[in-house]
Amino acid sequence: MLNMHYYEDPQSREKKLTRDFVDIHQSTLCQVLGLSQGDKVVVELQKSKYGASGDVDIAVWKNPNSENQKLIGIEIKSLFLEHGGKFKSEKLLKHNKQVKALEKEGWDYVYFFDFIVTMPANNWFHPQTFEGHDNYRKTVESKYGHVVFQINAVAGKLESMAGSISHHVIQEAKALEAKNGRLKIVEAFKNFDFSFSSVIVDSI
């Protein structure tokens, strides 16, 4: 267990990481996006609900049903920090296609969230606390938001149960030009039943 990342499974890591982030670190999500009570968050929003293909990792309906409502689409990727500060399988441009697709579909704001997962430490003090932020090199186009998170794991415990998370806002998202698909996205949100919780996992 000491020589691997808990989120290393390529088939499920980003899905598991996204759900853990929204479930356990909602305060960090609210801080980054300026969310408040009444705003709606959907994990893995199926794009078929508004006539596109694929899914949106995190979809946010800010100020719902008001004149100032905002639609925020978020793409998530994960990156692994090895001992010595090097990233494993770093792909600097892997996120571009998905982020640009969100803009074309009609979202008001688009963010790219990149999660750096560290090697588990043997105690609560992690020797790589800020090393991932210091060595990070990815960039996005200026109109998109870009935030980097680092998850510092503790050996023998899942990231969802122990360790710390830190974030660095590289750039805030800028309002995008209105697209024809925007109204369909609003309707997709309106068709959700948010009576139980403001956070919905769409794929379940």
Side-chain angles (χ1 to χ4, degrees), residues 32-33 72-75 109-113 145-147 171-173:
V32 170
L33 298 180
I72 305 172
I74 301 168
E75 173 67 20
Y109 296 86
V110 171
Y111 274 89
F112 172 53
F113 284 3
H146 189 183
V147 186
Q171 60 189 31
E172 297 283 357

Side-chain angles (χ1 to χ4, degrees), residues 42-197:
V42 179
V43 176
E44 294 174 8
L45 172 66
Q46 299 304 306
K47 293 183 179 182
S48 59
K49 295 184 183 296
Y50 58 84
S53 59
D55 61 55
V56 185
D57 293 329
I58 301 178
V60 177
W61 191 16
K62 191 172 180 180
N63 306 317
N65 298 313
S66 74
E67 293 182 359
N68 194 35
Q69 67 180 336
K70 296 180 176 64
L71 310 175
I72 305 172
I74 301 168
E75 173 67 20
I76 284 183
K77 292 290 185 235
S78 57
L79 189 61
F80 301 106
L81 185 66
E82 302 288 344
H83 292 306
K86 292 185 178 181
F87 290 113
K88 178 180 179 180
S89 302
E90 185 177 20
K91 298 179 181 178
L92 298 179
L93 304 178
K94 184 180 178 182
H95 55 282
N96 285 346
K97 181 179 179 180
Q98 292 92 335
V99 172
K100 289 179 180 178
L102 292 173
E103 178 188 3
K104 293 178 181 178
E105 290 161 6
W107 295 87
D108 297 326
Y109 296 86
V110 171
Y111 274 89
F112 172 53
F113 284 3
D114 208 6
F115 285 83
I116 299 169
V117 181
T118 64
M119 299 292 289
N122 290 318
N123 53 54
W124 290 99
F125 176 77
H126 203 289
Q128 295 177 291
T129 302
F130 300 109
E131 196 166 20
H133 292 300
D134 292 340
N135 295 340
Y136 187 82
R137 297 185 296 146
K138 292 184 185 178
T139 60
V140 301
E141 296 182 21
S142 60
K143 56 193 168 184
Y144 305 129
H146 189 183
V147 186
V148 183
F149 302 83
Q150 181 168 322
I151 298 175
N152 296 317
V154 176
K157 297 182 181 295
L158 298 178
E159 281 93 338
S160 59
M161 298 172 61
S164 65
I165 184 171
S166 60
H167 73 275
H168 174 57
V169 179
I170 296 180
Q171 60 189 31
E172 297 283 357
K174 296 181 181 178
L176 300 171
E177 182 181 346
K179 298 290 193 303
N180 293 333
R182 185 181 189 278
L183 291 178
K184 292 183 179 180
I185 298 174
V186 172
E187 287 302 313
F189 275 116
K190 288 182 176 179
N191 288 331
F192 274 97
D193 180 8
F194 289 103
S195 58
F196 176 73
S197 172

